[in-house]
Amino acid sequence: MSSASTRAIYPSLRDKRILVTGGASGIGEGLVEAFVAQGARVAFCDIADEPAQSLVARLSPGAAHPPLYRRCDLTDVEAVRALVAEAETALGGLDVLVNNAGNDDRHKLDEVTPAYWDDRMAVNLRHLFFAAQAAVPAMRRAGGGVILNFGSISWHLGLKDMPLYQTAKAAIEGMTRALARDLGRDGIRVSAIVPGNVQTPRQERWYTPEGEAELVASQCLDGRIQPSDVAALVLFLASDDARMCTGHNYFIDAGWR
Ligand SMILES: NC(=O)c1ccc[n+]([C@@H]2O[C@H](COP(=O)([O-])OP(=O)(O)OC[C@H]3O[C@@H](n4cnc5c(N)ncnc54)[C@H](O)[C@@H]3O)[C@@H](O)[C@H]2O)c1
């Protein structure tokens, strides 16, 4: 595994203005940490105040720009719009939106009601669109930008017991292609990140040690994917080095199939 001292630094990310959704834990926490280490100006939202505040306390000492935390329930579209506006003001502009937040609660097909459908689409799909819509004017003012949407390998593999999560995640890839086409002439790049199974505290809940061993056996590579591995891909796509990358999905899955 690469250590912090051997990881790439992107000069183009220094002072960039970044908004990460769901940044308090798991992959989002890794993203906030990685962008702060690049000297970027980072704002993040979540509904989990305590881990968010601990993260700010952990990353602030020595940071070129300590990260800013704002509580926002992303299922509320008006709150999403207010979040993006507030982030633009607090950061002095907006260059990168990372639509990371999601929720992979398991559910049985037979038990899905219309209300549960709406709830799952609200937490896994709708806010990505409305955050992007709100961010676009700010990115146009900045002369361009990057929107990165978190998909999932789950529907590519057809995993069990989460049909609505997979429906939303499949839609995110379609939305990514559509937005990339609509926004390309504004200099706004839109890509999707497709993680395999990333070892986060929440994922540890779903997997027994035997399940984890099976999972690794299905990957081409040994070992578990860490949030920092996902962050490495996100940093590249957010940086100017990826200036001609848009409209596609980027897998980080250790070759899981
Ligand atoms: N971990 C994996 O193996 C994996 C695999 C494929 C895709 N993904 C995707 O990667 C992204 C991050 O996943 P993760 O594993 O870090 O999840 P996680 O549950 O560890 O973190 C998600 C964060 O989003 C926050 N959040 C949830 N609902 C919210 C809401 N309504 N408003 C604001 N914040 C909210 C949570 O509090 C949490 O801090 C998600 O989009 C997930 O679907 C993860």
Side-chain angles (χ1 to χ4, degrees), residues 21-29 31 45-48 51 71-76 99-104 122-124 127-128 149-154 165 169 172 193-203 205 207 224-225 227 230 256:
T21 67
S25 67
I27 295 171
E29 177 179 2
L31 299 177
C45 79
D46 212 289
I47 43 175
R71 183 184 175 83
C72 174
D73 182 345
L74 294 160
T75 62
D76 174 347
N99 275 322
N100 162 73
N103 180 294
D104 65 352
V123 77
N124 282 315
H127 63 88
L128 287 84
N149 297 322
F150 268 74
S152 168
I153 198 170
S154 53
Y165 176 78
K169 290 296 186 182
I172 287 167
I193 312 291
V194 185
N197 190 275
V198 183
Q199 196 174 28
T200 59
R202 183 175 164 83
Q203 290 303 310
R205 277 201 236 158
Y207 285 90
R224 301 297 317 278
I225 305 165
V230 182
W256 188 12

Side-chain angles (χ1 to χ4, degrees), residues 123-248:
V123 77
N124 282 315
L125 178 60
R126 189 174 64 189
H127 63 88
L128 287 84
F129 180 87
F130 286 100
Q133 186 192 54
V136 164
M139 290 181 179
R140 287 190 181 126
R141 283 189 280 280
V146 182
I147 298 170
L148 299 174
N149 297 322
F150 268 74
S152 168
I153 198 170
S154 53
W155 70 272
H156 292 272
L157 296 175
L159 299 183
K160 275 178 73 66
D161 292 340
M162 39 181 178
L164 298 190
Y165 176 78
Q166 293 180 59
T167 300
K169 290 296 186 182
I172 287 167
E173 290 188 20
M175 184 178 79
T176 297
R177 290 183 74 80
L179 295 188
R181 176 60 75 190
D182 283 355
L183 298 173
R185 303 295 170 200
D186 292 307
I188 299 173
R189 299 188 281 108
V190 189
S191 300
I193 312 291
V194 185
N197 190 275
V198 183
Q199 196 174 28
T200 59
R202 183 175 164 83
Q203 290 303 310
E204 296 287 275
R205 277 201 236 158
W206 304 126
Y207 285 90
T208 59
E210 298 73 37
E212 231 173 347
E214 259 176 53
L215 174 75
V216 172
S218 309
Q219 298 177 173
C220 297
L221 297 172
D222 270 335
R224 301 297 317 278
I225 305 165
Q226 300 301 312
S228 57
D229 299 314
V230 182
L233 175 60
V234 168
L235 292 178
F236 168 70
L237 288 171
S239 78
D240 292 355
D241 293 44
R243 69 184 194 93
M244 297 309 270
C245 295
T246 195
H248 288 289

Side-chain angles (χ1 to χ4, degrees), residues 5-159:
S5 61
T6 60
R7 290 208 187 103
I9 294 287
Y10 294 92
S12 63
L13 288 177
R14 188 159 187 95
D15 301 329
K16 276 268 162 70
R17 294 133 331 160
I18 321 275
L19 174 60
V20 178
T21 67
S25 67
I27 295 171
E29 177 179 2
L31 299 177
V32 171
E33 181 167 6
F35 278 116
V36 167
Q38 298 284 327
R41 298 171 197 271
V42 185
F44 71 100
C45 79
D46 212 289
I47 43 175
D49 294 333
E50 213 175 282
Q53 278 147 6
S54 313
L55 182 63
V56 171
R58 180 166 73 78
L59 297 182
S60 293
H65 307 291
L68 306 173
Y69 170 61
R70 295 288 177 271
R71 183 184 175 83
C72 174
D73 182 345
L74 294 160
T75 62
D76 174 347
V77 171
E78 283 313 316
V80 171
R81 291 177 170 145
L83 169 78
V84 174
E86 209 188 326
E88 187 191 12
T89 304
L91 299 173
L94 187 61
D95 304 299
V96 179
L97 167 67
V98 187
N99 275 322
N100 162 73
N103 180 294
D104 65 352
D105 278 359
R106 284 5 183 208
H107 46 275
K108 296 279 182 204
L109 174 63
D110 296 349
E111 292 163 6
V112 171
T113 60
Y116 192 63
W117 166 280
D118 289 345
D119 174 71
R120 292 298 88 190
M121 295 305 141
V123 77
N124 282 315
L125 178 60
R126 189 174 64 189
H127 63 88
L128 287 84
F129 180 87
F130 286 100
Q133 186 192 54
V136 164
M139 290 181 179
R140 287 190 181 126
R141 283 189 280 280
V146 182
I147 298 170
L148 299 174
N149 297 322
F150 268 74
S152 168
I153 198 170
S154 53
W155 70 272
H156 292 272
L157 296 175
L159 299 183

